[in-house]
Amino acid sequence: MRRFLLCSLSVLALLALGTFAALQLSPWPGALLIRAVFDSGAQRAFSAQQPHLPADIAEQRDLQYAADSPHAYLDLFYPASSAQRKLPTIVWIHGGGWVSGSKALLGNYARILAGQGFSVAVVGYAIAPGATYPTPVRQVHAALGYLSRQASMLPVDADKLILAGDSAGAHIAAQVAASLSEPDYAQRIGVQASIARSQLAAVLLYCGPYDIREVNLDGGFGAFLRTVLWAYSGRKDFQQDVRFATASVLPEVSARFPPAFISAGNADPLLGQSQALASALSKQGVTVETLFFPPDLKPELGHEYQFDLDGKPGQQALARSVAFLRRHIGQPD
């Protein structure tokens, strides 16, 4: 029995050592664990949105927006009765810490937005660690170009495009908006603008990180942040990576940034990043509308609160987002 226990303890110790070594040598083990947890949560949100779906939403799935990637597909949702009209088009980039998520899991929320009189394109993109920065930024630019070129064949108004995103998707959306606004920034990232800045009417940004320099790597989410930023940058020493420094959007915003709706929950670890972006844009004279909540609000609103449409805050976020967009595209409430 003693020998058996010693052998078992030795095996457990070796497994623990191997796991520790794997986590130190590659971002893959940690990223895959995060992916499993995040995708499970996204699936729950997707299912909970089912009772809120509007009727008569048409869709076109798996439209290939670029030929150079197996991940370069988008899904388009729009009111069936408006299939022959040119509709303002929300281009949504899903979240997931750059290492998880999919366009499919945003489908129900996209249908709900489409029910408000929009076309909604949900962009699929290559996630980390398999693809690293700035691949998703390039792919979203390509998706915008595709929608602009194909607008005559789709219920898309190419002059009323709206970038939207949640969590890591909000970061990507904000970076694309900033790079469309400032050609010098696009050049430093290494991306090619695919539409004119004038085609971008507004942005919706939920619960995103916008300044990589300011993330708290020593706090309670430090291990998570180190894993996803290692995975997304492709370098464990991402803080010393000059190329990855361009991922910080906050220092790059200018007066040409489009009108922005920005929100995060009162218990979201990234709340400060949303508040900082809103402040920076306001100082540049950009039109900004925010939806933040009292610090003592109960129950607390965590990360991605807006997808919970059974609660009043999620319903408020949807209504405020839609009203904001209608004002900026000249569409009556």
Side-chain angles (χ1 to χ4, degrees):
M1 180 61 70
R2 182 181 298 174
R3 184 176 299 171
F4 174 77
L5 289 173
L6 287 172
C7 287
S8 298
L9 289 172
S10 297
V11 169
L12 290 173
L14 286 171
L15 287 173
L17 182 62
T19 301
F20 176 79
L23 290 170
Q24 297 303 307
L25 295 173
S26 169
W28 274 101
L32 291 176
L33 178 60
I34 292 166
R35 185 178 301 174
V37 173
F38 277 24
D39 282 354
S40 176
Q43 181 63 58
R44 288 193 298 272
F46 176 90
S47 299
Q49 291 158 3
Q50 195 76 23
H52 301 276
L53 295 181
D56 299 321
I57 298 300
E59 55 191 68
Q60 296 186 43
R61 304 286 294 276
D62 293 324
L63 299 175
Q64 188 174 19
Y65 64 80
D68 60 352
S69 170
H71 307 282
Y73 292 85
L74 61 82
D75 296 337
L76 187 66
F77 304 87
Y78 48 92
S81 59
S82 301
Q84 305 305 315
R85 293 173 52 203
K86 296 304 171 189
L87 298 174
T89 301
I90 301 170
V91 183
W92 196 290
I93 300 97
H94 69 77
W98 303 287
V99 301
S100 69
S102 71
K103 62 183 177 65
L105 292 172
L106 254 296
N108 278 348
Y109 199 75
R111 293 179 179 96
I112 292 164
L113 281 172
Q116 298 292 325
F118 300 94
S119 283
V120 183
V122 184
V123 179
Y125 59 90
I127 56 177
T132 55
Y133 176 78
T135 299
V137 183
R138 292 189 179 120
Q139 290 184 308
V140 173
H141 272 284
L144 289 171
Y146 169 84
L147 290 168
S148 182
R149 292 191 307 273
Q150 298 297 318
S152 63
M153 307 295 292
L154 300 169
V156 168
D157 186 339
D159 292 319
K160 292 182 179 178
L161 298 174
I162 299 133
L163 273 171
D166 60 285
S167 192
H171 168 260
I172 296 166
Q175 194 171 16
V176 171
S179 58
L180 284 170
S181 303
E182 295 299 329
D184 175 69
Y185 182 44
Q187 185 175 23
R188 284 186 285 118
I189 297 170
V191 299
Q192 184 74 37
S194 56
I195 63 170
R197 163 62 187 84
S198 59
Q199 294 176 260
L200 188 58
V203 294
L204 299 177
L205 303 173
Y206 276 100
C207 309
Y210 307 107
D211 194 345
I212 306 301
R213 305 168 305 172
E214 297 299 321
V215 295
N216 183 5
L217 298 175
D218 298 317
F221 293 89
F224 162 79
L225 290 168
R226 289 181 187 276
T227 298
V228 297
L229 292 173
W230 178 8
Y232 189 42
S233 69
R235 286 181 53 168
K236 190 174 184 180
D237 62 342
F238 56 85
Q239 289 174 297
Q240 280 70 54
D241 186 351
V242 175
R243 177 189 59 92
F244 193 55
T246 61
S248 288
V249 180
L250 199 64
E252 307 294 346
V253 298
S254 72
R256 297 188 71 244
F257 198 91
F261 181 91
I262 302 173
S263 184
N266 66 324
D268 190 332
L270 296 175
L271 170 61
Q273 295 254 335
S274 289
Q275 292 170 327
L277 179 63
S279 176
L281 290 172
S282 294
K283 289 177 181 177
Q284 292 286 344
V286 176
T287 299
V288 179
E289 183 173 327
T290 62
L291 178 57
F292 299 132
F293 299 87
D296 59 352
L297 181 69
K298 301 293 183 182
E300 294 180 331
L301 301 177
H303 193 59
E304 302 278 47
Y305 83 92
Q306 76 280 357
F307 289 141
D308 178 9
L309 295 178
D310 293 324
K312 288 185 178 179
Q315 295 168 11
Q316 182 183 9
L318 177 62
R320 289 273 301 273
S321 296
V322 169
F324 171 83
L325 292 182
R326 286 177 176 160
R327 285 196 300 275
H328 289 282
I329 60 176
Q331 188 181 71
D333 290 341

